[in-house]
């Protein structure tokens, strides 16, 4: 289960990151919509951070390396994107807000996909990468006693 989450999220964030990497920076157009403290950071730096975290985070999720850190970072990035781009510009109550819980923007926002991505990232934040990951391999290797540690232990008679 965790592997399937990692693979799907790696694909989605990698695709978004490589699109930014090869595209032009449109963050300056929406800089005023970023939540604090991101609105204080210049658009070029925000663009570089988003691109970097999407590309590097995608590779890390794919490999299961630093999974909790990158899943949390991508969740923060997704919240910022949701509030800046996908959230409705104005709404007066829950029924009106829920008109934006869709995949296509028809003037009411389109925050359904970011919410789904956050829900998919949370198990990785709280549970880690799972058994099929470099994180698990590192933990298993660290837990295994090394020959040096074994020889340093007193011998029982």
């Amino acid at each position: 289960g965790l592997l399937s989450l990692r693979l799907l999220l790696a694909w989605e964030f990698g695709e978004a990151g490589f699109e930014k990497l090869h595209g032009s920076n449109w963050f300056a157009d929406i800089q005023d919509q970023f939540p604090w403290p991101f609105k204080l950071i210049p658009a070029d730096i925000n663009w570089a951070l988003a691109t970097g975290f999407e590309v590097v985070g995608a590779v890390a999720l794919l490999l299961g390396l630093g999974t909790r850190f990158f899943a949390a970072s991508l969740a923060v990035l997704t919240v910022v994107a949701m509030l800046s781009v996908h959230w409705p510009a104005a709404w007066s109550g829950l029924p009106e807000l829920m008109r934006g819980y869709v995949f296509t923007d028809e003037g009411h926002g389109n925050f359904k996909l970011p919410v789904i991505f956050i829900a998919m990232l949370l198990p990785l934040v709280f549970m880690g990468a799972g058994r099929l990951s470099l994180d698990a391999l590192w933990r298993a290797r660290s837990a295994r006693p090394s020959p040096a540690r074994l020889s340093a232990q007193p011998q029982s008679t």
Side-chain angles (χ1 to χ4, degrees), residues 100-114:
Y101 188 69
V102 293
F103 289 117
T104 57
D105 190 353
E106 297 174 1
H108 307 288
N110 60 333
F111 59 89
K112 188 174 194 171
L113 192 59

Side-chain angles (χ1 to χ4, degrees), residues 6-24:
R6 289 188 4 241
L7 294 177
L8 182 58
L9 288 165
W11 175 267
E12 291 295 330
F13 282 104
E15 189 174 55
F18 282 110
E19 188 175 305
K20 284 181 184 69
L21 189 62
H22 299 296
S24 58

Side-chain angles (χ1 to χ4, degrees), residues 25-103:
N25 183 349
W26 46 267
F27 278 14
D29 300 337
I30 61 166
Q31 185 73 19
D32 61 324
Q33 297 172 9
F34 284 179
W36 185 90
F38 299 98
K39 68 172 43 182
L40 304 175
I41 302 170
D44 289 340
I45 294 174
N46 271 329
W47 183 265
L49 286 170
T51 303
F53 270 100
E54 285 176 340
V55 170
V56 174
V59 172
L61 289 181
L62 182 67
L63 299 173
L65 181 64
T67 304
R68 292 175 193 256
F69 170 78
F70 282 105
S73 300
L74 291 169
V76 169
L77 182 100
T78 303
V79 168
V80 171
M82 183 173 64
L83 295 175
S84 305
V85 179
H86 303 283
W87 202 252
W91 52 281
S92 59
L94 190 57
E96 192 175 352
L97 175 65
M98 292 313 295
R99 292 175 70 190
Y101 188 69
V102 293
F103 289 117

Side-chain angles (χ1 to χ4, degrees), residues 111-128:
F111 59 89
K112 188 174 194 171
L113 192 59
V115 168
I116 292 170
F117 284 168
I118 292 166
M120 292 170 67
L121 286 163
L122 288 178
L124 298 175
V125 170
F126 293 116
M127 298 172 67

